[in-house]
Amino acid sequence: MNIIYNETKKDLPVEQLCHLFNVVGWGSSRETTPKDWLENFNRVFITSTLVVSAWENERLVGAVRVLSDKFFRSIIYDLVIDPEYQNKGIGRELVKRCIAHYPNSEWSLETTEKNIGFYEKIGFKRSKGVHFRIPGKYQPE
């Protein structure tokens, strides 16, 4: 396995990106996915502050995107690794590369109970703050 990391390409191939989200259970089948969602799927990556992707040959096997002011605060969104490539250090490496871009920034993220252990192992601590949200068009309540 020879994984190549890319820290400059934001315009990831939509089909491969959608596949990644689908295989981890974050997407839906092509038949049930709204057309505008598919057409704009990689826009959130293109407009993010930083995108780091992991590739084996021409296959996208992992990606993460960051929104940041590049100084005080940085937020990790959508760290996604193909299940065939999980538990091989790719997620850790993607996060490490993100933090290296803005090393003095406060880093935060939102995750599920299932993934808490991963983030704790790489240095994240649970926040004592309160999290509020207004769900968007594509997020469940």
Side-chain angles (χ1 to χ4, degrees):
M1 180 173 72
N2 184 28
I3 302 300
I4 303 296
Y5 296 91
N6 186 308
E7 299 176 24
T8 59
K9 181 178 179 64
K10 292 182 176 183
D11 191 4
L12 302 177
V14 175
E15 291 296 326
Q16 289 193 55
L17 195 55
C18 284
H19 173 75
L20 266 184
F21 275 70
N22 287 335
V23 295
V24 299
W26 294 355
S28 58
S29 70
R30 190 178 242 329
E31 294 77 36
T32 61
T33 302
K35 186 177 183 227
D36 64 328
W37 188 85
L38 282 174
E39 289 172 351
N40 294 293
F41 192 72
N42 68 346
R43 181 185 298 182
V44 297
F45 281 79
I46 293 168
T47 60
S48 292
T49 311
L50 173 67
V51 172
V52 183
S53 52
W55 302 82
E56 184 173 49
N57 300 315
E58 299 297 315
R59 179 180 177 186
L60 179 65
V61 299
V64 62
R65 68 185 185 98
V66 172
L67 296 181
S68 179
D69 60 22
K70 302 181 182 182
F71 191 75
F72 287 114
R73 291 189 180 81
S74 300
I75 302 170
I76 291 176
Y77 287 94
D78 301 328
L79 173 61
V80 60
I81 310 296
D82 188 308
E84 290 180 41
Y85 293 82
Q86 290 178 6
N87 300 308
K88 298 182 185 316
I90 295 170
R92 175 186 296 267
E93 183 65 23
L94 289 172
V95 172
K96 179 179 126 186
R97 287 170 181 258
C98 289
I99 292 171
H101 277 266
Y102 316 118
N104 298 314
S105 179
E106 172 190 62
W107 285 87
S108 61
L109 59 92
E110 181 180 348
T111 192
T112 62
E113 290 292 324
K114 175 182 150 192
N115 296 322
I116 289 172
F118 167 78
Y119 288 106
E120 288 177 334
K121 279 189 226 173
I122 61 174
F124 283 82
K125 294 174 180 40
R126 286 185 188 228
S127 171
K128 293 181 175 126
V130 177
H131 179 82
F132 289 91
R133 69 189 277 250
I134 298 173
K137 178 179 179 180
Y138 301 109
Q139 290 85 28
E141 289 286 330

